[in-house]
Amino acid sequence: KDAVLKIGRFLSEWSDAAHHPPTWETVFQKTSLRARVRSIGAVKAEILADALMCGALPRLTSLGLSFNQIGDAGLKELSRAIASGSLGALQRLYLSENEIGDEGIKALASALASGSMANLQGLGLGSNNIGEAGMIELSRSIASGSMAGLKAFNLDRNYIGDGGMPSLASAIASGSMASLERLFLSNNWIGDAGMTALAGAIASGSLGNLTYLGLCGNQIGDAGVSALAGAIASGSLGALQTLNLGINQIGDAGMTDFSRAISSGSLGKLTTLYLYSNNIGDNGLKAFASAVASGSLGSLHELCLHNNEIGGDGMKAFAEALASGAMKKLQVLGLGNNAIGDAGMTELSRAIASGSMANLVTLYLNGNQIGDAGVSALAGAIARGSMASLERLFLSNNWIGD
């Protein structure tokens, strides 16, 4: 009871319970705890850990400590509480943006490996300083089966790199993350070697329940995306709904392999595809157009291809595929900052006029060298009533005159 009252007084200082003076009963029965931003450092993390180890929050299912300054020292203290089994009911643990590095992660990995949080479903470790060494230790913990119920795993904005990815891939391939539905690996310095390792794990069928895969802001090129294409073609990502490959180094060769894999119909549930800020040109888009025309992306709602190297020839092939009605569910189409020009805009306008894009809500065409001729073609298509659902149209930074 003393521990409960102690943590209750502490809660009144830094948690979302600040407006409600805590009592013994309210603290003991609490199931969710979220700390205020920048309210916890290593010292307060130690106090929290001591209170937890005394059984102050036995019913806690969600612990939100993101956007603080816990650091390695603080996470080591919290890991003591985890290893003690006092957080056995916990389902969600959020530790993003906390200045946590490899030493803290090693302590957390050791605690998790004890199996003391077998009910964990969500683990947030994004925006920290986890590198190769920390990822290796965390992967060992995963491979032990101690996190078999995990559904969401956020590792965005760390420093895993190609050195850390093989260990994570090995843990995944062991089948220890079969329940995983959302995997966040964006902004992690992952290159072709790391992507190839992950693709091998995917091909093993160990991520059959995955619905979201985030890989944007890495250094994945043609070789890496070709490896991913092989995994996709195997049918191992049949449940995937969102794939984010934006801000990488994918060119025409990789896009061609990726498109062939899509044509197999193995991503039939995909609703969102991000390929923005890559090096995709006309040949890559032509290959993608063939995949679209096959009908294998009929469930797609959002497609982002802005900031690539797409010109009129690629747009012609893509427009013809759209005109076939193969993506009638599309609501958002991002084509900004390419080089479509008047010729490409005219071809896209024909597709629009066909009525095959009637559900489109948002269309990005900014920064595309579109002049008066291209806009006139677009205006004609709009006048036919073929874009009645459109709410947002972006045409800035083109060559449109009076």
Side-chain angles (χ1 to χ4, degrees):
K1 186 172 181 178
D2 288 342
V4 173
L5 291 175
K6 182 178 181 181
I7 200 172
R9 289 191 296 271
F10 201 44
L11 284 173
S12 66
E13 295 179 15
W14 55 263
S15 82
D16 56 0
H19 328 302
H20 309 289
T23 64
W24 184 90
E25 292 84 0
T26 58
V27 174
F28 190 78
Q29 294 175 12
K30 199 165 183 62
T31 60
S32 177
L33 177 62
R34 184 181 63 192
R36 288 203 299 264
V37 173
R38 299 289 178 258
S39 61
I40 301 180
V43 174
K44 289 187 177 180
E46 181 179 2
I47 296 172
L48 174 59
D50 287 341
L52 290 170
M53 290 177 70
C54 291
L57 292 167
R59 301 181 185 180
L60 200 65
T61 59
S62 179
L63 179 57
L65 300 173
S66 295
F67 308 107
N68 278 286
Q69 297 163 327
I70 291 172
D72 287 345
L75 187 54
K76 286 178 181 179
E77 296 298 333
L78 289 172
S79 296
R80 284 193 301 113
I82 292 170
S84 74
S86 56
L87 287 171
L90 204 68
Q91 296 176 14
R92 292 173 296 279
L93 176 60
Y94 303 115
L95 291 163
S96 294
E97 199 162 318
N98 259 298
E99 304 172 7
I100 296 167
D102 289 343
E103 291 304 310
I105 287 298
K106 287 177 183 178
L108 176 63
S110 178
L112 290 172
S114 70
S116 53
M117 282 210 300
N119 292 312
L120 196 65
Q121 296 179 20
L123 179 58
L125 295 169
S127 300
N128 281 296
N129 301 311
I130 304 169
E132 177 181 340
M135 193 67 251
I136 289 172
E137 294 299 326
L138 192 56
S139 298
R140 285 188 184 133
S141 179
I142 293 168
S144 73
S146 59
M147 298 163 64
L150 203 65
K151 293 183 178 180
F153 194 15
N154 185 357
L155 289 164
D156 280 352
R157 296 181 179 86
N158 279 288
Y159 300 91
I160 296 170
D162 287 345
M165 283 304 295
S167 59
L168 176 60
S170 178
I172 291 171
S174 73
S176 302
M177 300 189 83
S179 299
L180 200 66
E181 296 175 1
R182 296 181 297 280
L183 178 57
F184 302 81
L185 287 167
S186 295
N187 298 293
N188 261 297
W189 300 92
I190 300 168
D192 287 340
M195 184 67 253
T196 299
L198 180 61
I202 292 171
S204 73
S206 300
L207 289 177
N209 291 311
L210 203 68
T211 61
Y212 176 94
L213 178 57
L215 289 162
C216 81
N218 283 296
Q219 300 171 341
I220 301 167
D222 289 341
V225 83
S226 293
L228 177 61
I232 290 171
S234 73
S236 301
L237 286 175
L240 199 66
Q241 297 175 18
T242 299
L243 176 58
N244 190 347
L245 288 167
I247 319 178
N248 277 291
Q249 299 167 10
I250 302 167
D252 287 346
M255 189 62 174
T256 298
D257 288 344
F258 180 70
S259 300
R260 286 195 192 112
I262 291 173
S263 297
S264 68
S266 51
L267 288 181
K269 294 184 179 180
L270 200 69
T271 61
T272 305
L273 178 58
Y274 297 131
L275 288 162
Y276 57 89
S277 300
N278 277 287
N279 304 317
I280 301 166
D282 285 344
N283 289 334
L285 191 59
K286 286 177 183 178
F288 185 69
S290 295
V292 171
S294 73
S296 55
L297 288 173
S299 296
L300 210 63
H301 291 173
E302 184 171 358
L303 173 62
C304 293
L305 288 162
H306 49 271
N307 296 319
N308 276 290
E309 301 168 5
I310 299 166
D313 288 345
M315 185 50 55
K316 182 178 187 298
F318 183 55
E320 289 173 354
L322 290 173
S324 71
M327 285 207 299
K328 285 187 175 181
K329 293 182 180 180
L330 199 65
Q331 296 178 14
V332 178
L333 178 57
L335 294 167
N337 296 314
N338 282 290
I340 294 171
D342 285 342
M345 188 67 253
T346 299
E347 295 297 335
L348 182 59
S349 298
R350 288 195 183 111
I352 292 169
S354 72
S356 60
M357 300 167 66
N359 290 314
L360 207 64
V361 175
T362 303
L363 177 58
Y364 294 89
L365 292 165
N366 49 293
N368 261 297
Q369 304 172 17
I370 300 168
D372 291 344
V375 170
S376 295
L378 175 61
I382 292 172
R384 293 172 64 96
S386 303
M387 297 187 82
S389 298
L390 198 69
E391 298 177 3
R392 292 177 293 276
L393 176 60
F394 297 84
L395 282 164
S396 56
N397 298 309
N398 277 295
W399 297 347
I400 304 167
D402 293 339

